[in-house]
Amino acid sequence: MSNFFIDLVTATDEARREFETHPVVFASVANGMSIDRYRALLGELYHIVWHFNPICAAAVSRITDEFANVRDFLYRHMHEESGHEQWVLNDLEALGVSREHAISRPPSPNVLALVGFNYWASDRRHPCSVLGMMYVLEVLAAVYGGPFSATVKETLFLEGDRGTSFLSSHASLDAAHMAELRDILNQLTIAEAKSAVVESVLVNFRQITSVFAAV
Amino acid sequence: MTSPEAVGIGALLSRPYKSIRLEWSSELSALRVRTCVTPVQCYSLSAMGELQRVLLDIAENQGLVKHFVMTSDVPGVFNFGGDLSLFVLLIRARDHESLRLYGRRCVDLLWWMETAAQIGVHTTVLVQGDTLGGGLESVMPFHKVIFERSAQAGFPEVLFNSFPGMGAWNFTIRKAGFAVANEMILSGKLYTAEQLHECRLVDMVVDDGCGEDAIEEAMRAVHPRLRGTLAALQARSIAAPVTYQSLMDIVDRWTVNSLNLTDRDLKLMERLARAQARKGTRGATEGAVEEIKRVELERAWGEERTGITEWASL
């Protein structure tokens, strides 16, 4: 088994720190955000989460038997993530945004660029690039999701998981996912697949930062 | 015609760095590194990479740099130590290898300081604010450790069931003795500059705002007898050795222990990371040090009321 995970963490650590460094992200994790901005962020997250499984499916449909382990991993992961966009809608509803309004609100250009890149990369770059998208989303959940949801709860006086169920539950759920993702990344040996994952991580961190910055 | 020295220092100073700023004083052949890691002043992978690059340059140009000085450009903070966000990521990924690699990179930086006398370099550090965990470990191998009076330091790792694994034991025992190391590392308490001076971990305490002059004085005091001082410091490392192997063995123990941290431990680590981040926001005066004091207080209250040292909730 290779140690690609170490290489990936090292090669993309600056992009992760740039996400942390962005003044909006930084202030949000440290001091929270207004309810309007939090609603807007969840509105954007709804579209990102909605597209997660279709992007994985697009990748799966192009994965050759050489990467059968990645395909099997994605099947399992897609099953676990199925319906999670409903959690975001539940949170929005708890914050006074109707499901209909949330669903009909179009995604911002930043979300379209993020989602569009991931479809394109799965289709045209390398289907394993989807692992880069997963890495970024799971880093966000496992590392920043907990502190961010705790800050939001404190500053908006939200009780229990009301309005933060998506963030709170993914902070703990994705802890196990990170270990599984690390295992599958360490099974990658083909250079082309590895470089597609690194590229995808860099683009996804950059785009997610833009999504945060714009709300 | 350009002298070989000018070529060396020119190349050294012209590298593009993000987390550090270099200053050169040709009078004393002193290279000063000012650190500024955003958003949290800690030992991130890239900051360590940049520091390692500078230290390699010095080692490859022996005789060029005679004094190495390190300070922080972040007001109120010298260094918060390890990159807690990265630790959380790696621990949640169950990534033993990467954690160990991080620890080993820290030890490589310490080891350069420990052996700097062998390449003709005297090292001085000025601490003007909070320095915690790995931040405190990183100053201990310096030949001259100067603190401004309001600076505070400690090893809070035990509060989240970890321990400082990159040189704390070795260097605290050598400088201050076993009892002090035991007390500092096992209590997780914070200490004032004066307290650290009393136990000889800090060589000099100066009033706030006087640190810059103290660096200059320290360098000028040692400069006329630099060769003798460096020879004596090399002999010191024979008399009271800290070995690379023992530092690495401790890192390996630290790695194994880190992977056994519970979700509650990680939440406390995240709480401190959040406090560190808060200190970085404009106008914020409270940071990790204040958060550690709150945790200590909560623990004291927990002990008094229930006799249990665990916190009811984090």
Side-chain angles (χ1 to χ4, degrees):
Chain A
M1 195 181 275
S2 75
N3 277 327
F4 176 52
F5 191 80
I6 297 180
D7 298 337
L8 181 65
V9 168
T10 308
T12 62
D13 195 56
E14 206 166 324
R16 179 185 67 79
R17 299 260 315 163
E18 275 172 15
F19 167 77
E20 267 188 6
T21 310
H22 192 280
V24 173
V25 177
F26 184 46
S28 303
V29 175
N31 304 317
M33 54 171 54
S34 71
I35 192 153
D36 285 342
R37 288 181 55 227
Y38 181 53
R39 283 181 187 134
L41 179 65
L42 285 179
E44 299 283 61
L45 276 179
Y46 167 74
H47 293 290
I48 295 170
V49 177
W50 192 97
H51 282 282
F52 181 87
N53 270 354
I55 289 167
C56 289
V60 160
S61 73
R62 284 155 183 79
I63 286 178
T64 59
D65 285 350
E66 191 180 15
F67 298 100
N69 54 344
V70 175
R71 190 168 52 208
D72 291 344
F73 168 79
L74 289 173
Y75 284 146
R76 289 195 303 275
H77 206 79
M78 286 163 68
H79 180 67
E80 286 170 16
E81 296 292 330
S82 178
H84 284 196
E85 71 279 3
Q86 295 299 322
W87 298 9
V88 185
L89 290 179
N90 293 342
D91 286 342
L92 279 165
E93 210 163 26
L95 298 171
V97 180
S98 73
R99 301 173 89 83
E100 295 72 26
H101 181 78
I103 292 167
S104 63
R105 185 179 167 275
S108 70
N110 290 315
V111 170
L112 289 174
L114 172 76
V115 168
F117 167 80
N118 287 315
Y119 278 117
W120 173 84
S122 301
D123 186 29
R124 302 294 175 96
R125 185 67 91 194
H126 195 289
C128 286
S129 71
V130 74
L131 297 175
M133 173 188 77
M134 292 173 72
Y135 173 84
V136 170
L137 295 177
E138 293 193 350
V139 165
L140 296 183
V143 179
Y144 306 105
F148 178 58
S149 65
T151 308
V152 165
K153 262 187 223 177
E154 276 171 31
T155 53
L156 298 182
F157 303 105
L158 300 172
E159 286 182 8
D161 274 353
R162 191 178 156 79
T164 60
S165 67
F166 177 78
L167 293 172
S168 306
S169 53
H170 276 75
S172 48
L173 262 182
D174 285 10
H177 287 176
M178 276 301 292
E180 291 163 13
L181 181 60
R182 174 183 154 262
D183 283 344
I184 201 73
L185 286 166
N186 279 342
Q187 288 172 38
L188 287 186
T189 53
I190 309 288
E192 196 188 359
K194 289 180 183 178
S195 66
V197 174
V198 171
E199 178 189 65
S200 173
V201 169
L202 297 176
V203 173
N204 274 276
F205 266 128
R206 186 189 173 99
Q207 283 309 119
I208 281 283
T209 306
S210 306
V211 171
F212 250 91
V215 295
Chain B
M1 191 173 155
T2 317
S3 72
E5 182 181 303
V7 171
I9 200 65
L12 202 154
L13 295 174
S14 64
R15 290 189 194 279
Y17 292 119
K18 282 186 177 175
S19 317
I20 56 177
R21 201 153 59 84
L22 302 181
E23 278 175 12
W24 174 246
S25 156
S26 52
E27 186 194 352
L28 294 172
S29 301
L31 182 71
R32 176 161 171 173
V33 174
R34 295 169 172 269
T35 61
C36 181
V37 187
T38 53
V40 177
Q41 172 83 335
C42 66
Y43 285 110
S44 68
L45 281 172
S46 61
M48 285 202 293
E50 291 185 356
L51 264 177
Q52 191 69 50
R53 182 66 256 169
V54 173
L55 301 181
L56 268 174
D57 278 346
I58 297 172
E60 285 167 3
N61 290 277
Q62 277 194 39
L64 182 63
V65 175
K66 293 188 169 64
H67 296 273
F68 177 84
V69 180
M70 194 153 135
T71 56
S72 161
D73 266 357
V74 179
V77 181
F78 176 76
N79 198 293
F80 283 130
D83 182 346
L84 295 184
S85 301
L86 181 65
F87 289 174
V88 172
L89 192 170
L90 298 178
I91 292 167
R92 292 213 152 122
R94 316 299 304 152
D95 191 0
H96 178 272
E97 282 297 309
S98 300
L99 272 172
R100 189 162 173 259
L101 181 78
Y102 180 91
R104 287 180 164 242
R105 283 190 183 176
C106 293
V107 164
D108 284 339
L109 291 177
L110 287 188
W111 190 247
W112 190 96
M113 297 299 159
E114 171 63 8
T115 55
Q118 291 173 23
I119 54 167
V121 180
H122 186 269
T123 59
T124 305
V125 63
L126 170 65
V127 176
Q128 295 168 298
D130 305 339
T131 185
L132 301 173
L136 180 55
E137 286 177 302
S138 72
V139 306
M140 294 211 297
F142 276 82
H143 298 139
K144 194 78 167 176
V145 180
I146 305 167
F147 270 50
E148 285 196 355
R149 204 166 299 284
S150 65
Q152 297 179 89
F155 297 118
E157 287 88 341
V158 74
L159 298 177
F160 48 86
N161 278 311
S162 185
F163 67 90
M166 292 82 172
W169 277 109
N170 309 62
F171 291 106
T172 312
I173 288 171
R174 184 167 77 183
K175 287 196 87 171
F178 190 80
V180 171
N182 241 5
E183 163 65 22
M184 285 186 72
I185 293 169
L186 300 182
S187 72
K189 283 181 186 166
L190 294 168
Y191 296 84
T192 63
E194 206 57 61
Q195 287 170 320
L196 294 169
H197 184 240
E198 278 165 18
C199 66
R200 302 285 178 244
L201 269 183
V202 168
D203 300 304
M204 192 192 293
V205 177
V206 297
D207 287 335
D208 290 0
C210 298
E212 294 293 329
D213 290 341
I215 293 175
E216 190 71 16
E217 279 169 30
M219 283 196 296
R220 289 197 182 281
V222 81
H223 198 68
R225 43 195 169 85
L226 186 63
R227 278 182 293 110
T229 303
L230 294 175
L233 288 168
Q234 287 180 65
R236 182 187 73 172
S237 63
I238 296 170
V242 168
T243 67
Y244 185 75
Q245 189 57 48
S246 72
L247 291 167
M248 289 301 186
D249 287 347
I250 292 174
V251 162
D252 289 348
R253 299 255 168 166
W254 172 85
T255 306
V256 170
N257 181 72
S258 297
L259 287 176
N260 289 327
L261 296 181
T262 65
D263 205 44
R264 174 179 278 197
D265 299 327
L266 292 180
K267 278 184 179 163
L268 181 54
M269 202 189 275
E270 285 168 350
R271 180 173 155 184
L272 291 179
R274 208 149 52 102
Q276 289 178 350
R278 220 179 292 133
K279 182 105 178 185
T281 51
R282 194 165 293 179
T285 52
E286 291 210 342
V289 162
E290 291 72 18
E291 196 69 17
I292 289 164
K293 286 176 180 167
R294 266 192 287 275
V295 170
E296 284 176 346
L297 196 64
E298 285 168 20
R299 185 165 66 167
W301 273 99
E303 279 173 356
E304 195 164 306
R305 285 190 306 227
T306 65
I308 299 168
T309 54
E310 293 291 315
W311 305 283
S313 62
L314 294 172

